[in-house]
Amino acid sequence: MNYTYRIYPNVVQQTELRSWLETCRGVYNYALRELKDWIASRKCSVDRCSLEKEYIIPADKPFPSHRQQNNLPKAKKQFPHLGKVHSQVLQTTIRRLHDTWEVFQKRGHGFPRFKKFGQFKSFVFPQFKHNPINGFTIKLPKIGEVPINLHRPIPNGFKVKQVRVLSRVRGTQWYVVVTIESDISVPDAPVRGRAIGIDLGLERFLTASDGSFQERPKFFKSMQRKLKLLQRRAARKQKGSQNWEKAQVEVARMHHRIANRRKDFHLKTAHQLCDQAQTIFAEDLNVTGLTRAMLRKDCVDAAFGQFLSLTEWVCSKRGVYFAKVNPNGTSQTCPNCLATVSKGLEVREHHCPECGYRTHRDRAAAEMVLDRGLENLVSQGLWGTETACQVGLSGVYDLDKSRGARIPNREVGKPAL
């Protein structure tokens, strides 16, 4: 479990933290250079070597894996500035590179890239002998005690495992992500209680199968005019000057504020859903594809991927079952009779010609998500007697009305006469 806190280092500590980040960036890039050279030396066949240049590395030299950490003591003798950084911080930097390499091998894309100036924004202290948090200060090795905004205490029975230091807003704001652990094993959330399906969209951010919906706040578009003004001021400054740096900080601060508002909205909406039901189904959206479509700016502003990830995390923390279903055809299928009802994006009402069911398009899609989620649970044998009453038996509609009151907006679907 991770807790994020704001810290307030003094000027000397901030200078040292920035120096550590640049040192870690250099170690990361050097290790990546060794990795790429080893790969380039084994790219072509023996009889097809390049006529221009070739990376000649002995054939018996192993792949530069985590053993690069063993070369750090020798590198410190050649480059004394490496000794100013905590040894385990440099080790975790190399480990971070190889974790990225392993992820690249699994998914087939996302080769590690060299980090430019300012792109390396965090480093990790992997272990602590004692609790580094004492009152309202946190003690970081070789940095010293730093004031911390401990807005929530560490729960009893948990101990601090590692601390990640984050740089935000061009190095003017600093945070620590404290990883805590306990010996208590938490089981997976069981399937129980009331089940709902949710549909995400741009007209309405979220529509539930019970008729409740949440309007979409336009975080970026509401601040876009002010952000454009700040960017215009920054563009008129001489690049590299102090005034240019101040203007860039203002732009970064505005982006940071927009991201914080969006994340706060996502977390509050996820908690509202957990108050509303004990089993939640959502569409398994292709978030990458949405960000490349015609409405990519609105999709990026809505951040559906972040919302689904945060909702899954909130559900696991609160003991609510969360699952994703296939999103194909949810808005083109009638949830009442399962007939195919084709309609374009401009049609915002679902009207089935087969059974006459009429409701909002997004609610029909949410009801279809719920049906698919229940079918998956039945096929897996997870849908028991405790939740069987939620599949349309008498009295369920009144229960839905009372529990759906937490989300203010609500509509009721009705069959056509």
Side-chain angles (χ1 to χ4, degrees):
M1 185 183 297
N2 295 331
Y3 281 4
T4 303
Y5 302 100
R6 176 87 180 267
I7 59 175
Y8 302 91
N10 56 35
V11 178
V12 178
Q13 291 173 337
Q14 288 188 37
T15 304
E16 192 168 3
L17 289 174
R18 296 192 191 99
S19 175
W20 280 31
L21 287 175
E22 284 304 300
T23 303
C24 292
R25 184 178 70 91
V27 171
Y28 183 93
N29 289 341
Y30 187 89
L32 179 58
R33 181 74 272 168
E34 287 185 343
L35 188 147
K36 296 189 72 172
D37 289 348
W38 188 92
I39 295 175
S41 67
R42 285 149 177 80
K43 263 187 176 180
C44 62
S45 303
V46 178
D47 58 341
R48 293 180 181 86
C49 294
S50 174
L51 297 177
E52 298 178 357
K53 61 180 179 179
E54 188 66 36
Y55 293 89
I56 302 176
I57 297 179
D60 58 345
K61 186 174 182 180
F63 178 77
S65 60
H66 294 280
R67 287 188 294 271
Q68 288 180 312
Q69 301 178 29
N70 301 333
N71 299 329
L72 286 174
K74 299 179 183 178
K76 289 180 180 179
K77 296 179 181 179
Q78 186 177 1
F79 305 99
H81 69 278
L82 297 179
K84 299 179 181 180
V85 183
H86 196 270
S87 60
Q88 291 184 340
V89 171
L90 297 179
Q91 293 172 7
T92 54
T93 301
I94 296 180
R95 210 172 302 148
R96 172 177 172 178
L97 167 64
H98 290 283
D99 290 343
T100 308
W101 169 256
E102 292 174 1
V103 172
F104 159 72
Q105 287 186 313
K106 288 181 181 179
R107 64 186 182 185
H109 60 88
F111 194 92
R113 297 182 179 181
F114 292 106
K115 302 293 184 181
K116 298 181 181 179
F117 177 80
Q119 288 186 344
F120 207 89
K121 299 180 181 180
S122 68
F123 57 83
V124 180
F125 294 99
Q127 63 181 4
F128 290 88
K129 293 183 179 179
H130 307 287
N131 186 7
I133 299 177
N134 182 18
F136 291 96
T137 60
I138 180 171
K139 188 175 182 180
L140 302 177
K142 287 193 173 185
I143 299 295
E145 292 189 351
V146 183
I148 182 173
N149 181 15
L150 202 68
H151 54 84
R152 55 178 174 178
I154 303 297
N156 295 328
F158 286 82
K159 62 179 181 180
V160 177
K161 183 179 180 181
Q162 70 177 23
V163 173
R164 177 180 293 273
V165 180
L166 297 176
S167 171
R168 290 288 183 265
V169 193
R170 299 180 68 87
T172 59
Q173 294 184 14
W174 296 88
Y175 297 85
V176 289
V177 180
V178 181
T179 302
I180 58 177
E181 65 175 359
S182 177
D183 298 333
I184 302 174
S185 60
V186 180
D188 295 334
V191 181
R192 61 185 179 87
R194 178 172 180 266
I196 62 171
I198 59 175
D199 176 75
L200 303 178
L202 296 179
E203 181 187 17
R204 296 174 177 177
F205 177 78
L206 180 144
T207 304
S209 56
D210 60 358
S212 58
F213 61 92
Q214 182 73 51
E215 297 292 343
R216 179 174 69 93
K218 299 178 181 180
F219 302 101
F220 180 78
K221 286 195 171 182
S222 63
M223 307 296 293
Q224 188 174 8
R225 188 168 183 175
K226 187 174 183 180
L227 182 63
K228 183 178 180 180
L229 177 62
L230 294 176
Q231 290 174 333
R232 184 179 300 167
R233 291 176 181 174
R236 292 172 178 171
K237 302 293 188 297
Q238 183 181 358
K239 189 173 181 180
S241 64
Q242 291 186 355
N243 289 333
W244 177 84
E245 182 63 28
K246 291 179 182 179
Q248 294 295 333
V249 169
E250 291 295 328
V251 173
R253 188 172 296 158
M254 179 60 64
H255 280 292
H256 189 62
R257 181 184 177 188
I258 294 172
N260 284 344
R261 291 177 59 192
R262 183 186 295 113
K263 187 175 182 180
D264 180 69
F265 168 75
H266 287 169
L267 285 172
K268 289 179 179 178
T269 305
H271 279 285
Q272 287 179 354
L273 290 174
C274 292
D275 293 338
Q276 191 177 352
Q278 292 78 39
T279 301
I280 300 176
F281 300 105
E283 293 178 305
D284 190 8
L285 297 176
N286 180 14
V287 182
T288 305
L290 291 175
T291 56
R292 296 174 181 173
M294 183 175 59
L295 299 174
R296 53 187 175 272
K297 178 182 283 189
D298 295 279
C299 292
V300 171
D301 192 12
F304 296 130
Q306 175 180 275
F307 173 72
L308 292 175
S309 300
L310 290 176
T311 303
E312 186 174 3
W313 175 74
V314 171
C315 289
S316 64
K317 186 176 67 171
R318 298 189 54 176
V320 176
Y321 183 83
F322 179 84
K324 296 180 181 179
V325 301
N326 184 11
N328 295 334
T330 53
S331 60
Q332 308 294 328
T333 306
C334 178
N336 194 35
C337 64
L338 302 182
T340 301
V341 183
S342 300
K343 46 186 175 291
L345 288 175
E346 69 279 359
V347 180
R348 305 314 302 169
E349 184 182 31
H350 170 80
H351 182 205
C352 179
E354 299 292 336
C355 64
Y357 184 65
R358 186 192 299 269
T359 186
H360 193 274
R361 174 198 181 103
D362 294 340
R363 183 183 177 181
E367 292 176 353
M368 198 63 213
V369 169
L370 175 61
D371 292 342
R372 290 186 181 180
L374 296 179
E375 289 177 1
N376 293 339
L377 292 182
V378 171
S379 63
Q380 298 173 11
L382 299 177
W383 194 253
T385 57
E386 181 184 359
T387 52
C389 63
Q390 301 297 328
V391 196
L393 298 182
S394 61
V396 175
Y397 180 71
D398 295 334
L399 181 64
D400 288 352
K401 287 199 301 182
S402 62
R403 289 188 174 178
R406 290 185 177 273
I407 296 182
N409 302 318
R410 186 173 179 82
E411 67 178 3
V412 177
K414 55 183 181 298
L417 298 177

